[in-house]
Protein backbone atom coordinates (compact mmCIF):
# COMPACT_ATOMS: atom_id res chain seq x y z
CA UNK A 1 0.00 0.00 0.00
CA UNK A 2 1.24 3.40 -0.89
CA UNK A 3 0.83 5.49 2.22
CA UNK A 4 2.16 8.60 0.58
CA UNK A 5 -1.02 8.60 -1.43
CA UNK A 6 -2.83 9.92 1.64
CA UNK A 7 -0.51 12.88 1.83
CA UNK A 8 -2.08 14.39 -1.26
CA UNK A 9 -5.03 16.74 -0.68
CA UNK A 10 -6.97 14.99 -3.48
CA UNK A 11 -7.04 11.69 -1.58
CA UNK A 12 -7.34 13.24 1.84
CA UNK A 13 -10.30 15.52 1.11
CA UNK A 14 -12.98 12.85 0.46
CA UNK A 15 -11.49 10.47 3.03
CA UNK A 16 -11.65 13.09 5.79
CA UNK A 17 -15.22 13.87 4.77
CA UNK A 18 -16.17 10.25 5.32
CA UNK A 19 -14.35 9.96 8.66
CA UNK A 20 -15.71 13.10 10.34
CA UNK A 21 -19.26 11.83 11.08
CA UNK A 22 -17.90 8.75 12.88
CA UNK A 23 -15.64 10.81 15.12
CA UNK A 24 -18.44 13.30 15.74
CA UNK A 25 -20.93 10.63 16.77
CA UNK A 26 -18.40 8.85 19.00
CA UNK A 27 -17.43 12.17 20.63
CA UNK A 28 -21.07 13.02 21.36
CA UNK A 29 -21.89 9.62 22.83
CA UNK A 30 -18.79 9.56 25.05
CA UNK A 31 -19.29 13.16 26.19
CA UNK A 32 -22.82 12.36 27.33
CA UNK A 33 -21.65 9.19 29.08
CA UNK A 34 -18.70 10.97 30.68
CA UNK A 35 -20.89 13.83 31.94
CA UNK A 36 -23.42 11.33 33.27
CA UNK A 37 -20.70 9.50 35.23
CA UNK A 38 -18.89 12.63 36.35
CA UNK A 39 -21.84 14.81 37.33
CA UNK A 40 -24.53 12.33 38.32
CA UNK A 41 -22.87 9.11 39.48
CA UNK A 42 -19.46 9.98 40.96
CA UNK A 43 -19.61 10.85 44.66
CA UNK A 44 -18.31 14.07 46.13
CA UNK A 45 -14.63 14.37 47.08
CA UNK A 46 -13.91 14.22 50.81
CA UNK A 47 -11.30 16.99 50.61
CA UNK A 48 -12.45 19.34 47.88
CA UNK A 49 -16.20 18.80 47.98
CA UNK A 50 -18.00 19.11 44.66
CA UNK A 51 -15.55 21.67 43.28
CA UNK A 52 -13.38 18.71 42.26
CA UNK A 53 -15.90 17.94 39.47
CA UNK A 54 -14.18 20.66 37.42
CA UNK A 55 -11.51 17.98 36.87
CA UNK A 56 -13.78 16.34 34.29
CA UNK A 57 -13.32 19.27 31.92
CA UNK A 58 -10.06 20.73 33.26
CA UNK A 59 -7.80 17.69 32.84
CA UNK A 60 -9.07 16.68 29.36
CA UNK A 61 -8.73 20.30 28.14
CA UNK A 62 -5.20 20.58 29.59
CA UNK A 63 -4.00 17.27 28.15
CA UNK A 64 -5.44 18.14 24.74
CA UNK A 65 -3.83 21.60 24.83
CA UNK A 66 -0.39 19.98 25.14
CA UNK A 67 -1.07 16.98 22.91
CA UNK A 68 -2.44 19.13 20.07
CA UNK A 69 0.61 21.39 20.26
CA UNK A 70 2.87 18.37 19.72
CA UNK A 71 0.67 17.21 16.82
CA UNK A 72 0.85 20.71 15.31
CA UNK A 73 4.65 20.79 15.67
CA UNK A 74 4.97 17.34 14.06
CA UNK A 75 2.88 18.44 11.07
CA UNK A 76 4.93 21.62 10.88
CA UNK A 77 8.15 19.58 10.89
CA UNK A 78 6.78 17.23 8.23
CA UNK A 79 5.78 20.25 6.18
CA UNK A 80 9.30 21.68 6.32
CA UNK A 81 11.18 18.43 5.76
CA UNK A 82 8.98 16.94 3.03
CA UNK A 83 7.67 20.21 1.68
CA UNK A 84 4.23 18.65 1.96
CA UNK A 85 1.32 21.03 1.49
CA UNK A 86 -1.16 18.86 3.34
CA UNK A 87 1.07 18.78 6.44
CA UNK A 88 1.07 22.56 6.56
CA UNK A 89 -2.68 22.62 6.14
CA UNK A 90 -3.03 20.14 9.01
CA UNK A 91 -0.77 22.22 11.25
CA UNK A 92 -2.87 25.28 10.43
CA UNK A 93 -6.05 23.36 11.23
CA UNK A 94 -4.83 22.12 14.61
CA UNK A 95 -3.91 25.56 15.99
CA UNK A 96 -7.36 27.09 16.75
CA UNK A 97 -8.58 23.98 18.58
CA UNK A 98 -5.32 23.75 20.52
CA UNK A 99 -5.59 27.41 21.47
CA UNK A 100 -9.20 26.90 22.57
CA UNK A 101 -8.28 24.01 24.86
CA UNK A 102 -5.37 26.01 26.31
CA UNK A 103 -7.72 28.89 27.09
CA UNK A 104 -10.20 26.42 28.64
CA UNK A 105 -7.47 24.77 30.71
CA UNK A 106 -6.52 28.18 32.13
CA UNK A 107 -10.09 29.31 32.67
CA UNK A 108 -11.39 26.13 34.31
CA UNK A 109 -8.16 26.04 36.32
CA UNK A 110 -8.90 29.53 37.54
CA UNK A 111 -12.43 28.54 38.53
CA UNK A 112 -11.00 25.57 40.38
CA UNK A 113 -8.17 27.54 41.97
CA UNK A 114 -10.45 30.13 43.53
CA UNK A 115 -12.41 27.72 45.79
CA UNK A 116 -9.42 25.43 46.55
CA UNK A 117 -6.47 27.85 46.82
CA UNK A 118 -8.37 31.09 47.41
CA UNK A 119 -6.93 32.76 44.30
CA UNK A 120 -8.10 33.07 40.70
CA UNK A 121 -4.54 33.26 39.46
CA UNK A 122 -1.06 32.52 40.81
CA UNK A 123 2.26 32.80 38.95
CA UNK A 124 2.98 29.16 39.53
CA UNK A 125 5.27 27.19 37.15
CA UNK A 126 2.48 25.03 35.74
CA UNK A 127 0.09 27.91 35.13
CA UNK A 128 2.73 30.27 33.76
CA UNK A 129 4.05 27.70 31.28
CA UNK A 130 0.47 26.92 30.19
CA UNK A 131 -0.05 30.66 29.60
CA UNK A 132 3.10 30.66 27.44
CA UNK A 133 1.52 27.79 25.47
CA UNK A 134 -1.49 30.02 24.76
CA UNK A 135 0.86 32.77 23.53
CA UNK A 136 2.64 30.25 21.30
CA UNK A 137 -0.63 29.21 19.67
CA UNK A 138 -1.67 32.85 19.25
CA UNK A 139 1.79 33.71 17.89
CA UNK A 140 1.59 30.85 15.41
CA UNK A 141 -1.81 31.94 14.13
CA UNK A 142 -0.91 35.66 13.98
CA UNK A 143 2.33 34.97 12.15
CA UNK A 144 0.47 32.90 9.60
CA UNK A 145 -2.11 35.57 8.93
CA UNK A 146 0.47 38.36 8.93
CA UNK A 147 2.36 37.01 5.89
CA UNK A 148 0.51 37.24 2.59
CA UNK A 149 2.52 34.65 0.70
CA UNK A 150 1.00 31.37 1.92
CA UNK A 151 4.17 29.34 1.43
CA UNK A 152 6.32 31.74 3.36
CA UNK A 153 3.66 32.02 6.04
CA UNK A 154 3.57 28.23 6.36
CA UNK A 155 7.32 27.95 6.72
CA UNK A 156 7.80 30.83 9.12
CA UNK A 157 4.99 29.72 11.42
CA UNK A 158 6.21 26.12 11.25
CA UNK A 159 9.59 27.21 12.64
CA UNK A 160 7.82 28.94 15.53
CA UNK A 161 5.70 25.83 16.20
CA UNK A 162 8.77 23.57 16.25
CA UNK A 163 10.84 25.83 18.52
CA UNK A 164 7.89 26.24 20.89
CA UNK A 165 7.51 22.50 21.43
CA UNK A 166 10.21 22.75 24.13
CA UNK A 167 7.52 24.34 26.32
CA UNK A 168 5.38 21.17 26.38
CA UNK A 169 7.67 19.01 28.56
CA UNK A 170 8.20 22.08 30.74
CA UNK A 171 4.45 22.28 31.38
CA UNK A 172 4.15 18.55 31.88
CA UNK A 173 7.02 18.16 34.35
CA UNK A 174 6.63 21.56 36.02
CA UNK A 175 4.81 20.02 38.98
CA UNK A 176 7.79 17.73 39.58
CA UNK A 177 10.65 20.10 38.82
CA UNK A 178 9.43 23.05 40.85
CA UNK A 179 7.65 23.42 44.09
CA UNK A 180 4.28 24.46 42.78
CA UNK A 181 0.87 25.14 44.19
CA UNK A 182 -0.64 23.09 41.40
CA UNK A 183 -1.37 19.53 42.47
CA UNK A 184 0.69 16.69 41.00
CA UNK A 185 -0.51 14.42 38.23
CA UNK A 186 -3.47 12.25 39.04
CA UNK A 187 -2.37 9.54 36.67
CA UNK A 188 1.25 8.45 36.77
CA UNK A 189 3.01 5.92 34.60
CA UNK A 190 3.84 2.78 36.54
CA UNK A 191 2.01 3.83 39.67
CA UNK A 192 -1.55 3.07 40.53
CA UNK A 193 -3.89 6.02 40.48
CA UNK A 194 -4.67 7.97 43.61
CA UNK A 195 -8.17 8.61 42.33
CA UNK A 196 -11.37 6.68 43.04
CA UNK A 197 -12.06 4.30 40.11
CA UNK A 198 -15.39 5.90 39.15
CA UNK A 199 -13.84 9.40 39.07
CA UNK A 200 -10.90 8.10 37.06
CA UNK A 201 -13.23 6.36 34.62
CA UNK A 202 -15.30 9.51 34.08
CA UNK A 203 -12.16 11.59 33.56
CA UNK A 204 -10.65 9.15 31.05
CA UNK A 205 -13.92 8.97 29.11
CA UNK A 206 -14.06 12.76 28.89
CA UNK A 207 -10.45 12.75 27.72
CA UNK A 208 -11.21 10.32 24.90
CA UNK A 209 -14.38 12.28 24.06
CA UNK A 210 -12.42 15.56 23.75
CA UNK A 211 -9.82 13.80 21.63
CA UNK A 212 -12.51 12.47 19.27
CA UNK A 213 -14.06 15.94 19.14
CA UNK A 214 -10.66 17.42 18.21
CA UNK A 215 -10.14 14.89 15.42
CA UNK A 216 -13.59 15.66 13.97
CA UNK A 217 -13.09 19.42 14.18
CA UNK A 218 -9.53 19.40 12.85
CA UNK A 219 -10.37 17.16 9.90
CA UNK A 220 -13.32 19.43 9.08
CA UNK A 221 -11.16 22.53 9.30
CA UNK A 222 -8.52 20.88 7.11
CA UNK A 223 -11.20 20.32 4.47
CA UNK A 224 -12.16 24.00 4.63
CA UNK A 225 -8.48 24.88 4.36
CA UNK A 226 -8.10 22.67 1.26
CA UNK A 227 -11.19 24.28 -0.33
CA UNK A 228 -9.70 27.73 0.29
CA UNK A 229 -6.25 26.95 -1.00
CA UNK A 230 -7.20 24.75 -3.95
CA UNK A 231 -10.23 26.68 -5.12
CA UNK A 232 -8.73 27.28 -8.54
CA UNK A 233 -8.00 23.65 -9.29
CA UNK A 234 -10.41 21.43 -11.16
CA UNK A 235 -10.30 18.44 -8.79
CA UNK A 236 -11.71 20.31 -5.80
CA UNK A 237 -14.73 21.41 -7.85
CA UNK A 238 -15.28 17.81 -8.93
CA UNK A 239 -14.87 16.46 -5.37
CA UNK A 240 -17.21 19.11 -4.08
CA UNK A 241 -19.87 18.37 -6.74
CA UNK A 242 -19.53 14.66 -5.97
CA UNK A 243 -20.37 15.28 -2.29
CA UNK A 244 -23.28 17.56 -3.09
CA UNK A 245 -24.77 14.77 -5.22
CA UNK A 246 -24.35 12.20 -2.45
CA UNK B 1 -27.55 8.47 41.21
CA UNK B 2 -25.54 10.38 43.76
CA UNK B 3 -27.86 13.38 44.30
CA UNK B 4 -31.01 13.52 46.42
CA UNK B 5 -32.84 16.17 44.40
CA UNK B 6 -32.46 18.47 41.41
CA UNK B 7 -31.77 21.40 43.73
CA UNK B 8 -29.09 19.41 45.46
CA UNK B 9 -27.50 18.74 42.07
CA UNK B 10 -27.68 22.36 40.91
CA UNK B 11 -26.30 23.56 44.22
CA UNK B 12 -23.11 21.42 43.76
CA UNK B 13 -22.37 21.40 47.48
CA UNK B 14 -21.99 25.20 47.44
CA UNK B 15 -19.63 25.25 44.46
CA UNK B 16 -22.35 25.86 41.84
CA UNK B 17 -20.73 29.03 40.45
CA UNK B 18 -17.30 27.42 39.91
CA UNK B 19 -18.54 24.09 38.57
CA UNK B 20 -21.26 25.42 36.27
CA UNK B 21 -19.20 28.26 34.82
CA UNK B 22 -16.39 25.79 34.02
CA UNK B 23 -18.72 23.38 32.27
CA UNK B 24 -20.71 26.10 30.50
CA UNK B 25 -17.63 27.89 29.13
CA UNK B 26 -16.07 24.60 28.00
CA UNK B 27 -19.09 23.38 26.06
CA UNK B 28 -19.99 26.92 24.99
CA UNK B 29 -16.53 27.32 23.42
CA UNK B 30 -16.90 24.02 21.59
CA UNK B 31 -20.32 25.09 20.30
CA UNK B 32 -18.86 28.39 19.05
CA UNK B 33 -16.03 26.52 17.33
CA UNK B 34 -18.54 24.27 15.54
CA UNK B 35 -20.63 27.30 14.59
CA UNK B 36 -17.61 29.09 13.11
CA UNK B 37 -16.78 26.01 11.04
CA UNK B 38 -20.38 25.94 9.84
CA UNK B 39 -20.15 29.59 8.77
CA UNK B 40 -16.92 28.87 6.95
CA UNK B 41 -18.61 25.95 5.19
CA UNK B 42 -21.46 28.17 4.01
CA UNK B 43 -19.02 30.81 2.74
CA UNK B 44 -17.08 28.10 0.90
CA UNK B 45 -20.28 26.79 -0.60
CA UNK B 46 -21.07 30.19 -2.06
CA UNK B 47 -17.60 30.44 -3.49
CA UNK B 48 -17.66 26.91 -4.90
CA UNK B 49 -21.14 27.36 -6.28
CA UNK B 50 -19.98 30.50 -8.05
CA UNK B 51 -16.93 28.76 -9.43
CA UNK B 52 -18.90 25.87 -10.87
CA UNK B 53 -21.76 27.74 -12.50
Amino acid sequence: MNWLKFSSPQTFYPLAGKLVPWFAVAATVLTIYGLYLGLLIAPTDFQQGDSYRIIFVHVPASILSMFLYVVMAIYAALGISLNARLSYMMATSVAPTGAMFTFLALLTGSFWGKPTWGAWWVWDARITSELILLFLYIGYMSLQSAIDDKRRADRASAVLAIVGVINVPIIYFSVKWWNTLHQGSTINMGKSSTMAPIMLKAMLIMMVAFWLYSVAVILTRARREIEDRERNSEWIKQAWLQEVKE
Amino acid sequence: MYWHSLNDFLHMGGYALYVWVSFAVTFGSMAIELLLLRVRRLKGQKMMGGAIQ
Side-chain angles (χ1 to χ4, degrees), chain A residues 50 70 82 90 143 151 159 167 191 195-196 205 232-233:
Chain A
D50 287 303
V70 175
L82 305 174
M90 284 303 290
L143 188 57
R151 289 171 62 193
V159 172
N167 187 43
K191 254 197 285 178
M195 207 178 179
I205 287 171
N232 294 321
S233 60

PDB file of all heavy atoms in Angstrom, chain A residues 50 70 82 90 143 151 159 167 191 195-196 205 232-233:
ATOM      1  N   ASP A  50     -17.590  19.289  46.049  1.00  0.00           N
ATOM      2  CA  ASP A  50     -18.002  19.106  44.663  1.00  0.00           C
ATOM      3  C   ASP A  50     -17.215  19.972  43.683  1.00  0.00           C
ATOM      4  O   ASP A  50     -17.380  19.830  42.476  1.00  0.00           O
ATOM      5  CB  ASP A  50     -19.506  19.362  44.526  1.00  0.00           C
ATOM      6  CG  ASP A  50     -20.304  18.217  45.129  1.00  0.00           C
ATOM      7  OD1 ASP A  50     -20.084  17.077  44.682  1.00  0.00           O
ATOM      8  OD2 ASP A  50     -21.109  18.446  46.050  1.00  0.00           O
ATOM      9  N   VAL A  70       1.880  19.313  20.253  1.00  0.00           N
ATOM     10  CA  VAL A  70       2.871  18.373  19.720  1.00  0.00           C
ATOM     11  C   VAL A  70       2.454  17.917  18.316  1.00  0.00           C
ATOM     12  O   VAL A  70       3.279  17.866  17.393  1.00  0.00           O
ATOM     13  CB  VAL A  70       3.051  17.162  20.670  1.00  0.00           C
ATOM     14  CG1 VAL A  70       3.983  16.133  20.068  1.00  0.00           C
ATOM     15  CG2 VAL A  70       3.579  17.633  22.021  1.00  0.00           C
ATOM     16  N   LEU A  82       9.438  17.587   4.268  1.00  0.00           N
ATOM     17  CA  LEU A  82       8.984  16.938   3.033  1.00  0.00           C
ATOM     18  C   LEU A  82       8.397  17.932   2.033  1.00  0.00           C
ATOM     19  O   LEU A  82       8.009  17.558   0.941  1.00  0.00           O
ATOM     20  CB  LEU A  82       7.924  15.873   3.350  1.00  0.00           C
ATOM     21  CG  LEU A  82       8.292  14.789   4.357  1.00  0.00           C
ATOM     22  CD1 LEU A  82       7.081  13.922   4.652  1.00  0.00           C
ATOM     23  CD2 LEU A  82       9.427  13.937   3.800  1.00  0.00           C
ATOM     24  N   MET A  90      -2.651  20.797   7.755  1.00  0.00           N
ATOM     25  CA  MET A  90      -3.035  20.136   9.006  1.00  0.00           C
ATOM     26  C   MET A  90      -2.561  20.957  10.207  1.00  0.00           C
ATOM     27  O   MET A  90      -3.296  21.168  11.161  1.00  0.00           O
ATOM     28  CB  MET A  90      -2.457  18.716   9.069  1.00  0.00           C
ATOM     29  CG  MET A  90      -3.177  17.705   8.206  1.00  0.00           C
ATOM     30  SD  MET A  90      -4.946  17.554   8.557  1.00  0.00           S
ATOM     31  CE  MET A  90      -4.908  16.768  10.155  1.00  0.00           C
ATOM     32  N   LEU A 143       1.240  34.957  13.125  1.00  0.00           N
ATOM     33  CA  LEU A 143       2.327  34.969  12.155  1.00  0.00           C
ATOM     34  C   LEU A 143       1.813  34.494  10.796  1.00  0.00           C
ATOM     35  O   LEU A 143       2.129  35.061   9.758  1.00  0.00           O
ATOM     36  CB  LEU A 143       3.458  34.054  12.653  1.00  0.00           C
ATOM     37  CG  LEU A 143       4.760  34.090  11.871  1.00  0.00           C
ATOM     38  CD1 LEU A 143       5.317  35.511  11.833  1.00  0.00           C
ATOM     39  CD2 LEU A 143       5.790  33.166  12.494  1.00  0.00           C
ATOM     40  N   ARG A 151       3.056  30.282   1.228  1.00  0.00           N
ATOM     41  CA  ARG A 151       4.165  29.339   1.428  1.00  0.00           C
ATOM     42  C   ARG A 151       5.168  29.861   2.430  1.00  0.00           C
ATOM     43  O   ARG A 151       5.687  29.110   3.257  1.00  0.00           O
ATOM     44  CB  ARG A 151       4.825  29.011   0.086  1.00  0.00           C
ATOM     45  CG  ARG A 151       3.914  28.147  -0.783  1.00  0.00           C
ATOM     46  CD  ARG A 151       4.449  27.991  -2.185  1.00  0.00           C
ATOM     47  NE  ARG A 151       5.755  27.308  -2.203  1.00  0.00           N
ATOM     48  CZ  ARG A 151       6.525  27.281  -3.281  1.00  0.00           C
ATOM     49  NH1 ARG A 151       6.172  27.913  -4.379  1.00  0.00           N
ATOM     50  NH2 ARG A 151       7.679  26.634  -3.252  1.00  0.00           N
ATOM     51  N   VAL A 159       8.377  27.080  11.822  1.00  0.00           N
ATOM     52  CA  VAL A 159       9.587  27.209  12.642  1.00  0.00           C
ATOM     53  C   VAL A 159       9.207  27.590  14.080  1.00  0.00           C
ATOM     54  O   VAL A 159       9.691  27.003  15.045  1.00  0.00           O
ATOM     55  CB  VAL A 159      10.564  28.249  12.027  1.00  0.00           C
ATOM     56  CG1 VAL A 159      11.717  28.529  12.976  1.00  0.00           C
ATOM     57  CG2 VAL A 159      11.081  27.755  10.682  1.00  0.00           C
ATOM     58  N   ASN A 167       8.356  23.925  25.186  1.00  0.00           N
ATOM     59  CA  ASN A 167       7.515  24.341  26.316  1.00  0.00           C
ATOM     60  C   ASN A 167       6.629  23.198  26.832  1.00  0.00           C
ATOM     61  O   ASN A 167       6.242  23.194  27.998  1.00  0.00           O
ATOM     62  CB  ASN A 167       6.649  25.539  25.885  1.00  0.00           C
ATOM     63  CG  ASN A 167       5.880  26.141  27.029  1.00  0.00           C
ATOM     64  OD1 ASN A 167       6.412  26.313  28.121  1.00  0.00           O
ATOM     65  ND2 ASN A 167       4.616  26.440  26.797  1.00  0.00           N
ATOM     66  N   LYS A 191       2.515   3.775  38.297  1.00  0.00           N
ATOM     67  CA  LYS A 191       2.009   3.830  39.665  1.00  0.00           C
ATOM     68  C   LYS A 191       0.497   3.725  39.595  1.00  0.00           C
ATOM     69  O   LYS A 191      -0.116   4.209  38.653  1.00  0.00           O
ATOM     70  CB  LYS A 191       2.385   5.176  40.307  1.00  0.00           C
ATOM     71  CG  LYS A 191       3.501   5.055  41.336  1.00  0.00           C
ATOM     72  CD  LYS A 191       3.560   6.281  42.221  1.00  0.00           C
ATOM     73  CE  LYS A 191       4.148   7.505  41.551  1.00  0.00           C
ATOM     74  NZ  LYS A 191       4.148   8.688  42.395  1.00  0.00           N
ATOM     75  N   MET A 195      -6.802   8.122  42.494  1.00  0.00           N
ATOM     76  CA  MET A 195      -8.165   8.605  42.334  1.00  0.00           C
ATOM     77  C   MET A 195      -9.152   7.450  42.468  1.00  0.00           C
ATOM     78  O   MET A 195      -8.828   6.320  42.097  1.00  0.00           O
ATOM     79  CB  MET A 195      -8.246   9.171  40.919  1.00  0.00           C
ATOM     80  CG  MET A 195      -9.241  10.233  40.689  1.00  0.00           C
ATOM     81  SD  MET A 195      -9.046  10.715  38.960  1.00  0.00           S
ATOM     82  CE  MET A 195     -10.313  11.930  38.850  1.00  0.00           C
ATOM     83  N   ALA A 196     -10.343   7.721  42.961  1.00  0.00           N
ATOM     84  CA  ALA A 196     -11.373   6.682  43.041  1.00  0.00           C
ATOM     85  C   ALA A 196     -11.689   6.191  41.626  1.00  0.00           C
ATOM     86  O   ALA A 196     -11.730   6.989  40.694  1.00  0.00           O
ATOM     87  CB  ALA A 196     -12.625   7.247  43.684  1.00  0.00           C
ATOM     88  N   ILE A 205     -12.909   8.939  30.180  1.00  0.00           N
ATOM     89  CA  ILE A 205     -13.916   8.970  29.114  1.00  0.00           C
ATOM     90  C   ILE A 205     -14.031  10.374  28.528  1.00  0.00           C
ATOM     91  O   ILE A 205     -14.084  10.548  27.313  1.00  0.00           O
ATOM     92  CB  ILE A 205     -15.275   8.452  29.638  1.00  0.00           C
ATOM     93  CG1 ILE A 205     -15.188   6.935  29.827  1.00  0.00           C
ATOM     94  CG2 ILE A 205     -16.416   8.809  28.685  1.00  0.00           C
ATOM     95  CD1 ILE A 205     -16.348   6.320  30.535  1.00  0.00           C
ATOM     96  N   ASN A 232      -8.882  27.086  -7.103  1.00  0.00           N
ATOM     97  CA  ASN A 232      -8.726  27.277  -8.544  1.00  0.00           C
ATOM     98  C   ASN A 232      -8.454  25.989  -9.304  1.00  0.00           C
ATOM     99  O   ASN A 232      -8.374  25.995 -10.521  1.00  0.00           O
ATOM    100  CB  ASN A 232      -7.591  28.269  -8.820  1.00  0.00           C
ATOM    101  CG  ASN A 232      -7.960  29.650  -8.314  1.00  0.00           C
ATOM    102  OD1 ASN A 232      -9.122  30.070  -8.436  1.00  0.00           O
ATOM    103  ND2 ASN A 232      -7.006  30.344  -7.714  1.00  0.00           N
ATOM    104  N   SER A 233      -8.309  24.881  -8.571  1.00  0.00           N
ATOM    105  CA  SER A 233      -7.998  23.646  -9.293  1.00  0.00           C
ATOM    106  C   SER A 233      -9.288  22.887  -9.598  1.00  0.00           C
ATOM    107  O   SER A 233     -10.291  22.995  -8.888  1.00  0.00           O
ATOM    108  CB  SER A 233      -7.043  22.785  -8.482  1.00  0.00           C
ATOM    109  OG  SER A 233      -7.633  22.459  -7.262  1.00  0.00           O
TER     110      SER A 233
END
